[in-house]
Amino acid sequence: MAMERNAMLFAVLITVIAASLGDSSNLNSSYRLPKSITPEHYNLRVFTHLGDQRGFIFHGQVAIRFLCLEDTDKVVLHSKNLTLPEERVLLRESVSDNQPNRSRQIDIKSLEYVTEHDYAVFHVSAPLKKGERYEITIPFESNLSTGLIGYYRSSYIDKKTKQKTWLAVTQFEPTYARQAFPCFDEPEMKATFDISLAHHERYVALSNMPLNRSMPLDSMPGWVLDEFNTTVPMSTYLVAYTVNDFEYREAKTTEPGDVVFKIWARRDAIDQVDYAREIGPRVTRFYEDYFHQKFPLPKIDMIAIPDFASGAMENWGLITYRETALLYHPNISTASNKHRVASVIAHELAHQWFGNLVTMRWWTDLWLNEGFATYVASLGVDYLHPEWYSLEEESISNTLDIFKFDALLSSHPISVEIGHPNQISQIFDAISYEKGSIVIRMMHLFLSEETFRNGVSRYLQRHAYGNAEQDNLWEALTEEAHANGVLPDFIDVKKVMDSWTLQTGYPIITVTRNYDANSAEVTQTRFVSSEVPKDQNVTDYCWWIPLTFTTAKQLDFNDTLPKGWMECKGEKEKHEKQVKLLDDLPDPEHWVIFNVQLAGLYKVKYDKANYRLIISQLNGARYHDIGLLNRAQLIDDAMDLAWTGQQNYGIAFAMMNYLRQETAYIPWKSALTNLNSLNRILKRTPIYDIFKSYVQYILEPIYEQLDVFNEAKKTTDRLDGIKQITLIASWACRFEVGDCANRSVELFSRWMNETNPDVSNPVPIDLRPVVYCNAIRLGNDSQWNFLWHRYLQSNVGSEKIMIIGSLACTRQVVLVERFLQSSLNSTSGVRKQDATILFSSVARNDVGFMAAKSFFLNRADEIYDFLSPDTSRLSRYIKPLAEQMFSTEEVQELNDLIQKKATIFEKANQGVKQALEMAQTNNKWSQTNFGKMERLLPILATRSTANTLDDLIDNF
């Protein structure tokens, strides 16, 4: 690794030297801008035409003041899809206030484009001198596209006028500012910005900073120019502006100096902003206190955009959202919708410190932005709504997702080397967000609350308004940890965390107890769900693992501070078996459980005797003596070990037998997530009916106890309680448990018979996804068309997404095919941003799978054109198909398509590789385990497993 780092440093050095020497050929090979100049200030003026006599275009000019760091004969910056009139470009020495007459114009000899890297290269007649400041003024013009990136246009139908209304908005992360104005479009090149927006007076304009003044444009009757205050130093990807006709509601300020908060939305949706208006200021104050740092801008605007590619974007002072991530309607949105709004708002506001105030140097450390914001957002939501008990639920949800995703050989490290910038969009994935969040939670728990908070505050203060790398954070945290003795001197945070951020995957530890000596031997290896090719060696991986455990005598499931460290030595020892010996373990009559509260990102495998003790505890009356998160962990680990063939399924199913008495959500979430992996494969096999019988057996008690459809019963305020009701109802209806399906059909029928179904709906809000899906699944054209009409009439984004998922439940092939066609038709009423949601919803349903597979195989090129320019989203089409493919023929079919269409999958190759590996893993599972399931499931389905637990453990 040291040799690789030295080689990388040498390559960077050569790049810098070549740039400073003015080596023009180097521009064709380097995707990074030369370091010879750096921007200090932008003066940006943009004119926006929204369907007037000039159509949909924007034009303007930018004046960039920059400092020359090395002598150079060219100015290199980014520009893409912009028309730059070369003859009007102006370069001059920068004018200082005390020497106004000193300015000298410098001729530009030629303008060269290096399209591979989006460079505009201005060759100058006289060398620019080191230490001098210059200003380049560049006019530009381009189209306002509908591609959801750069400066683009969106629209909606105004309810009153029935007219289509247009707006324009930016989305610059990661590298799209260059499509809006010429700029130095790299995160390290921070500068201040003066932004002015010209537009027709019927619109309003917003940007990162408050409006300074607005004036009419004499040359353009009916137009105004809005000038905004100067920004703090910031990266180009955080610049934001919009021209729209929205309304806003302002939050009430409670203390002097509070940030001015405004929530903007379509006029028809302004009644859905109150929840965001309430929680935005509260979570901002929480972060100010948590980070020991005041929010540095005077205002925050949060705006709901009808067409938006991602969930939201943390632009400093002007945060943009999908409608589903900002708007909440108390009479229509579900509790899960509310949780999502709270989570996304908390995430974006966390970015104002972690990402905006301190920014990564390069996209390699994107995870530090996203992982940290994801984790801190869970703390923010817990602060906003302690009654939800959401912190544990989010932790387990993220961890379960990552345990599946990161077990693939085609996963990638959290901190991933980025070559060409067109690779960046692919790392906005579960590894950067969820795994990043989990390893930061792990670090928080092994460092303690005080060390974590003080170390993070130290980091933010040290690098405010600048750029940093992950090593800078590790340094600040190590200083705190050593100062208060939380970590011994021989361990530093970098040493530990590098093993988690620079390697792909995560470990499984094997605990082998010596019952005579009351000790145990602990070993580690990388956990992989695929077959490992002969040329790969996963045993070379090793991690610094914080070991936590408790015993049947201690029952301490709260102490997450490490009782020992599994060390990862140097390169030499790394190739040797890593062994940790532990003493003072209990006697042979008592179990031991490792990884308390899932505090570490690792799985655990025990010897059979310890499993027998744990299974006996779980299946007894005092099952809850084992902590909630660890009950979920035990199920997930046992099922994953069985999936990969490292352990028999008998142990996993003996453990899950206890679910018939489990009343808490999180273990059920773990169990059903794992059973769903089996369900996806078994549902197209002859043994599916036996599998269904087993699922019915474990679900019946919890379904009866929850009494899902009893409207008189008081519902819980706990988020996990509401999520449990919807999860159990969903499975009960699908697997024909009790009266679930019939009650759903009956409720939906009552709704259809309402005089005004758009106003009056008898279906309980949180049960609507379950009721709608099952009524559509068991219904015909009339139910489907009724719900499709509700979709077209709905004014609530989250409701529209829920209806899309429900319409996909139909078993009628004609309806499925028509629905898939609508996803590529811009006039159908389905927005472009929702096309992938529609497709994956169809693909995951019984009849929909074959139709979706055929649709994708036959229309891959058309889908590619539809998604352009952001074709990284093609992986969202392949993954829901691949996760259900298991036959050798299907895997080959998928592989052939990927080979044949290699060019269209270029920007999605990471996700495509992962999808293919999923299908191959399913294929391997079916070859290895299908016969075992044929023998095991009939025993489980006899409903007498309580008497056969030992038999399961020993023989299956």
Side-chain angles (χ1 to χ4, degrees):
M1 193 170 286
M3 286 177 64
E4 288 173 10
R5 282 211 182 100
N6 289 339
M8 205 169 77
L9 286 169
F10 182 72
V12 171
L13 189 60
I14 292 296
T15 303
V16 173
I17 292 169
S20 66
L21 292 174
D23 177 4
S24 186
S25 64
N26 179 62
L27 293 174
N28 295 309
S29 59
S30 174
Y31 55 85
R32 296 293 300 273
L33 288 172
K35 305 292 186 188
S36 48
I37 58 179
T38 185
E40 292 183 332
H41 182 74
Y42 292 76
N43 200 319
L44 174 64
R45 179 173 291 194
V46 183
F47 291 73
T48 303
H49 296 267
L50 284 168
D52 57 20
Q53 69 277 10
R54 294 201 61 183
F56 293 96
I57 68 160
F58 64 91
H59 58 89
Q61 72 172 33
V62 62
I64 311 171
R65 187 180 74 238
F66 61 86
L67 174 64
C68 195
L69 301 175
E70 298 289 344
D71 291 359
T72 182
D73 60 358
K74 57 185 171 291
V75 177
V76 185
L77 41 69
H78 288 108
S79 176
K80 183 175 183 179
N81 299 338
L82 297 172
T83 301
L84 310 181
E86 186 179 347
E87 69 285 355
R88 289 167 51 205
V89 176
L90 189 64
L91 176 64
R92 61 173 66 233
E93 287 182 347
S94 185
V95 180
S96 63
D97 292 338
N98 55 357
Q99 291 178 302
N101 300 319
R102 185 176 161 233
S103 177
R104 175 175 66 91
Q105 187 169 328
I106 299 166
D107 290 337
I108 292 171
K109 291 194 299 186
S110 63
L111 171 55
E112 173 194 0
Y113 290 100
V114 181
T115 52
E116 185 190 351
H117 302 309
D118 305 332
Y119 291 160
V121 185
F122 298 91
H123 296 276
V124 298
S125 57
L128 308 182
K129 296 296 184 183
K130 178 179 178 179
E132 295 293 326
R133 285 179 169 77
Y134 300 87
E135 185 173 87
I136 187 167
T137 303
I138 311 169
F140 57 86
E141 183 173 316
S142 189
N143 292 318
L144 271 175
S145 75
T146 54
L148 309 186
I149 60 174
Y151 191 34
Y152 70 93
R153 72 184 195 260
S154 171
S155 66
Y156 64 93
I157 302 298
D158 184 283
K159 292 271 186 199
K160 280 184 184 170
T161 65
K162 310 293 187 213
Q163 298 295 307
K164 181 179 278 194
T165 304
W166 292 96
L167 62 137
V169 68
T170 56
Q171 171 54 36
F172 289 166
E173 189 183 32
T175 55
Y176 305 134
R178 64 192 65 176
Q179 299 193 34
F181 61 97
C183 57
F184 296 87
D185 200 12
E186 293 187 2
E188 193 172 7
M189 292 190 163
K190 287 190 167 183
T192 53
F193 290 80
D194 279 326
I195 295 171
S196 303
L197 300 175
H199 56 88
H200 195 278
E201 62 188 3
R202 69 173 169 271
Y203 298 110
V204 67
L206 302 171
S207 188
N208 303 84
M209 298 298 288
L211 182 67
N212 181 18
R213 61 174 182 161
S214 183
M215 63 194 94
L217 281 173
D218 295 338
S219 58
M220 299 177 72
W223 277 58
V224 294
L225 179 71
D226 291 340
E227 294 180 350
F228 297 88
N229 291 344
T230 306
T231 70
V232 295
M234 56 194 268
S235 306
T236 48
Y237 80 89
L238 293 169
V239 171
Y241 41 89
T242 172
V243 172
N244 60 70
D245 75 334
F246 285 4
E247 286 186 358
Y248 72 87
R249 286 188 182 167
E250 187 173 332
K252 294 184 178 70
T253 53
T254 58
E255 297 170 21
D258 268 359
V259 178
V260 176
F261 247 97
K262 293 179 182 175
I263 318 297
W264 298 76
R266 297 179 285 113
R267 294 167 191 275
D268 297 328
I270 199 66
D271 61 338
Q272 299 171 41
V273 305
D274 289 340
Y275 179 61
R277 180 172 64 151
E278 174 210 332
I279 66 169
R282 286 179 58 210
V283 82
T284 300
R285 280 194 294 274
F286 170 73
Y287 291 146
E288 287 181 328
D289 178 52
Y290 199 88
F291 297 136
H292 305 304
Q293 188 113 13
K294 293 289 286 181
F295 180 74
L297 307 186
K299 65 91 177 177
I300 295 177
D301 288 308
M302 303 202 296
I303 183 168
I305 307 298
D307 299 285
F308 201 71
S310 53
M313 178 59 213
E314 68 266 20
N315 316 297
W316 220 347
L318 174 56
I319 307 173
T320 44
Y321 294 81
R322 261 194 201 199
E323 290 195 348
T324 52
L326 183 66
L327 304 182
Y328 169 76
H329 195 299
N331 298 327
I332 294 172
S333 307
T334 65
S336 290
N337 297 149
K338 190 174 190 177
H339 179 232
R340 177 162 191 251
V341 170
S343 291
V344 178
I345 289 173
H347 179 102
E348 303 311 323
L349 288 169
H351 271 310
Q352 307 301 298
W353 286 265
F354 231 91
N356 299 12
L357 183 66
V358 180
T359 311
M360 70 226 151
R361 288 193 195 284
W362 183 241
W363 297 101
T364 291
D365 285 315
L366 169 75
W367 84 271
L368 208 52
N369 271 16
E370 299 303 346
F372 202 94
T374 302
Y375 177 60
V376 173
S378 67
L379 304 180
V381 172
D382 190 50
Y383 166 78
L384 290 170
H385 290 288
E387 76 281 4
W388 283 358
Y389 295 88
S390 60
L391 199 53
E392 288 180 334
E393 192 268 326
E394 283 193 53
S395 299
I396 196 76
S397 184
N398 287 342
T399 306
L400 291 177
D401 286 349
I402 286 305
F403 274 152
K404 301 291 183 274
F405 187 86
D406 205 29
L408 297 171
L409 287 169
S410 53
S411 186
H412 63 81
I414 293 178
S415 181
V416 58
E417 285 300 326
I418 291 294
H420 197 280
N422 66 16
Q423 300 169 1
I424 298 166
S425 59
Q426 294 193 63
I427 62 167
F428 282 80
D429 65 3
I431 298 296
S432 292
Y433 286 74
E434 292 173 302
K435 187 179 179 184
S437 166
I438 294 162
V439 299
I440 289 167
R441 172 180 180 262
M442 177 174 69
M443 183 177 70
H444 189 175
L445 292 175
F446 75 65
L447 286 177
S448 80
E449 174 71 12
E450 183 186 3
T451 303
F452 179 76
R453 284 181 71 164
N454 291 343
V456 168
S457 298
R458 185 188 293 234
Y459 164 81
L460 289 172
Q461 285 158 16
R462 190 175 285 171
H463 300 283
Y465 302 107
N467 298 78
E469 297 165 318
Q470 65 175 23
D471 283 3
N472 301 123
L473 178 58
W474 307 154
E475 182 183 11
L477 288 162
T478 299
E479 289 168 12
E480 283 293 330
H482 286 167
N484 59 24
V486 168
L487 286 183
D489 289 344
F490 73 94
I491 298 179
D492 63 60
V493 174
K494 175 178 167 55
K495 192 181 286 184
V496 174
M497 295 304 289
D498 276 0
S499 73
W500 296 94
T501 65
L502 302 180
Q503 294 185 111
T504 303
Y506 59 87
I508 177 167
I509 66 166
T510 299
V511 179
T512 308
R513 291 178 63 181
N514 181 334
Y515 292 92
D516 294 330
N518 290 355
S519 64
E521 181 182 279
V522 183
T523 59
Q524 66 161 298
T525 188
R526 181 178 168 191
F527 184 80
V528 179
S529 58
S530 311
E531 198 159 10
V532 181
K534 290 185 174 63
D535 60 348
Q536 287 198 40
N537 187 1
V538 296
T539 57
D540 279 0
Y541 287 75
C542 84
W543 288 262
W544 280 76
I545 305 175
L547 294 174
T548 55
F549 60 88
T550 190
T551 70
K553 283 185 172 177
Q554 295 165 335
L555 295 178
D556 185 358
F557 285 94
N558 293 318
D559 184 6
T560 57
L561 287 176
K563 290 186 174 168
W565 283 88
M566 195 151 192
E567 299 173 27
C568 188
K569 311 284 189 185
E571 286 294 313
K572 180 170 173 280
E573 294 89 342
K574 191 175 170 182
H575 300 283
E576 300 170 3
K577 190 176 184 184
Q578 305 286 315
V579 180
K580 174 82 174 178
L581 294 173
L582 294 171
D583 297 317
D584 299 323
L585 290 187
D587 58 59
E589 303 301 314
H590 293 89
W591 49 256
V592 61
I593 291 175
F594 276 71
N595 201 6
V596 174
Q597 286 194 28
L598 267 171
L601 182 63
Y602 59 93
K603 290 193 165 291
V604 189
K605 180 184 179 185
Y606 301 101
D607 55 72
K608 193 176 278 189
N610 198 59
Y611 273 123
R612 202 181 296 277
L613 293 168
I614 293 171
I615 287 167
S616 175
Q617 177 85 53
L618 281 174
N619 282 278
R622 297 184 62 85
Y623 70 90
H624 42 70
D625 281 354
I626 296 176
L628 182 70
L629 292 180
N630 285 95
R631 302 203 296 274
Q633 170 226 20
L634 286 163
I635 292 169
D636 192 64
D637 287 357
M639 287 293 281
D640 273 348
L641 283 162
W643 176 275
T644 58
Q646 297 176 53
Q647 191 168 274
N648 290 335
Y649 265 108
I651 288 175
F653 280 110
M655 200 173 280
M656 284 204 297
N657 184 66
Y658 102 94
L659 286 167
R660 284 179 54 84
Q661 54 181 343
E662 177 63 83
T663 58
Y665 169 65
I666 287 174
W668 274 106
K669 163 101 174 165
S670 174
L672 296 179
T673 298
N674 281 284
L675 286 173
N676 199 40
S677 298
L678 298 181
N679 182 63
R680 285 197 300 258
I681 295 178
L682 296 178
K683 71 181 177 183
R684 290 189 288 131
T685 69
I687 62 172
Y688 191 52
D689 282 344
I690 311 175
F691 177 72
K692 279 177 69 174
S693 182
Y694 166 70
V695 173
Q696 289 167 349
Y697 170 67
I698 62 166
L699 278 175
E700 280 166 352
I702 188 71
Y703 176 71
E704 294 298 329
Q705 185 199 337
L706 290 175
D707 198 7
V708 169
F709 289 95
N710 185 347
E711 293 173 50
K713 195 174 178 183
K714 186 186 182 305
T715 56
T716 175
D717 286 332
R718 288 185 60 145
L719 184 72
D720 57 356
I722 295 167
K723 286 192 171 186
Q724 182 180 28
I725 287 169
T726 56
L727 178 70
I728 297 300
S730 172
W731 276 71
C733 281
R734 193 170 16 146
F735 285 86
E736 297 160 15
V737 174
D739 60 355
C740 188
N742 290 339
R743 293 293 295 272
S744 294
V745 170
E746 178 195 327
L747 272 170
F748 195 86
S749 177
R750 277 172 53 196
W751 185 30
M752 286 180 72
N753 290 326
E754 290 284 348
T755 310
N756 190 348
D758 291 318
V759 174
S760 183
N761 184 342
V763 183
I765 290 173
D766 290 307
L767 285 175
R768 286 175 187 177
V770 176
V771 169
Y772 294 3
C773 174
N774 283 284
I776 294 298
R777 181 170 64 87
L778 299 169
N780 55 34
D781 293 36
S782 62
Q783 282 83 1
W784 199 93
N785 289 327
F786 170 82
L787 194 58
W788 173 250
H789 192 67
R790 304 284 77 71
Y791 171 81
L792 295 176
Q793 291 298 307
S794 175
N795 186 40
V796 178
S798 57
E799 182 182 42
K800 291 176 90 76
I801 295 299
M802 183 255 288
I803 293 176
I804 283 176
S806 302
L807 289 168
C809 295
T810 181
R811 289 173 171 172
Q812 300 199 34
V813 177
V814 175
L815 291 175
V816 170
E817 289 173 344
R818 186 207 305 172
F819 199 35
L820 286 168
Q821 300 282 357
S822 71
S823 70
L824 297 184
N825 179 357
S826 59
T827 62
S828 69
V830 177
R831 291 191 179 273
K832 181 176 181 175
Q833 66 189 17
D834 299 332
T836 52
I837 296 170
L838 187 157
F839 180 86
S840 62
S841 299
V842 169
R844 289 187 171 109
N845 273 297
D846 302 349
V847 172
F849 172 73
M850 296 306 293
K853 186 176 81 162
S854 172
F855 181 79
F856 185 73
L857 291 173
N858 294 328
R859 302 182 70 171
D861 291 309
E862 192 179 338
I863 293 168
Y864 172 84
D865 291 338
F866 175 76
L867 291 178
S868 291
D870 183 14
T871 54
S872 65
R873 290 190 295 159
L874 265 174
S875 62
R876 298 184 195 178
Y877 283 77
I878 290 196
K879 282 184 177 178
L881 294 175
E883 68 189 14
Q884 298 175 84
M885 292 178 169
F886 62 92
S887 71
T888 305
E889 294 75 25
E890 285 175 329
V891 174
Q892 190 58 49
E893 192 175 25
L894 185 64
N895 197 33
D896 289 346
L897 175 76
I898 291 166
Q899 300 297 327
K900 185 179 165 190
K901 303 283 186 185
T903 51
I904 73 169
F905 293 126
E906 225 164 49
K907 286 187 181 174
N909 63 343
Q910 181 81 27
V912 168
K913 270 189 223 160
Q914 289 156 357
L916 186 58
E917 188 181 339
M918 279 181 213
Q920 290 164 340
T921 303
N922 289 348
N923 178 242
K924 179 194 158 200
W925 183 92
S926 62
Q927 291 173 357
T928 308
N929 289 298
F930 189 76
K932 296 175 187 173
M933 281 289 149
E934 279 186 306
R935 294 193 302 277
L936 177 61
L937 283 172
I939 293 171
L940 296 171
T942 58
R943 311 196 170 201
S944 60
T945 50
N947 303 319
T948 58
L949 292 180
D950 283 338
D951 188 36
L952 286 174
I953 294 167
D954 292 330
N955 301 317
F956 288 92

